[in-house]
């Protein structure tokens, strides 16, 4: 599979490094050790590599806790779309039935 040029962009790599240095908790499953930065608004839908459009996520190697490949599960959805249709995670059941969603 050919590599995506937009993901190799210097702006993305720099923003990803800054984001993960500040926070490695996956925005999708809530577990630590995120290894990549996912776009809130995907590049394919007009999003940018700006750090304000990135969230920590688990990449192709998956989450060490739940095994999900969060970035791939989200696909080309925005974070709002993903959260509206997301699967329940351990963050949800730890919080209890009265907790609000992420």
């Amino acid at each position: 599979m050919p590599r995506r040029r937009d993901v190799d962009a210097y702006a993305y790599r720099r923003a990803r490094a800054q984001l993960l240095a500040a926070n490695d908790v996956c925005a999708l499953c809530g577990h630590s050790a995120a290894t990549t930065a996912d776009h809130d608004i995907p590049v394919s839908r007009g999003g940018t590599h700006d750090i304000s459009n990135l969230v920590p996520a688990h990449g192709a190697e998956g989450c060490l806790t739940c095994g999900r490949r969060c970035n791939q599960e989200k696909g080309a959805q925005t974070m709002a779309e993903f959260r509206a249709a997301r699967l329940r995670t351990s963050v949800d059941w730890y919080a209890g039935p009265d907790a609000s969603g992420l």
Side-chain angles (χ1 to χ4, degrees):
M1 180 178 188
R3 291 181 56 88
R4 289 178 39 190
R5 287 189 201 155
D6 61 322
V7 175
D8 289 334
Y10 175 74
Y12 169 76
R13 292 191 320 250
R14 182 174 167 204
R16 179 185 64 198
Q18 290 173 335
L19 179 73
L20 294 176
N23 181 12
D24 75 340
V25 176
C26 179
L28 304 168
C29 74
H31 297 126
S32 63
T35 57
T36 192
D38 191 25
H39 294 84
D40 180 6
I41 301 171
V43 173
S44 64
R45 295 177 64 183
T48 67
H49 295 311
D50 188 71
I51 196 165
S52 65
N53 189 42
L54 299 176
V55 295
H58 293 107
E61 62 282 341
C63 174
L64 298 175
T65 304
C66 65
R68 289 185 177 158
R69 291 179 174 91
C70 300
N71 196 349
Q72 285 78 5
E73 285 185 28
K74 179 178 163 281
Q77 299 174 16
T78 64
M79 285 297 294
E81 292 167 345
F82 178 79
R83 285 186 175 141
R86 73 184 169 104
L87 299 172
R88 293 183 60 79
T89 68
S90 59
V91 171
D92 299 321
W93 61 264
Y94 281 135
D98 297 328
S100 62
L102 292 175

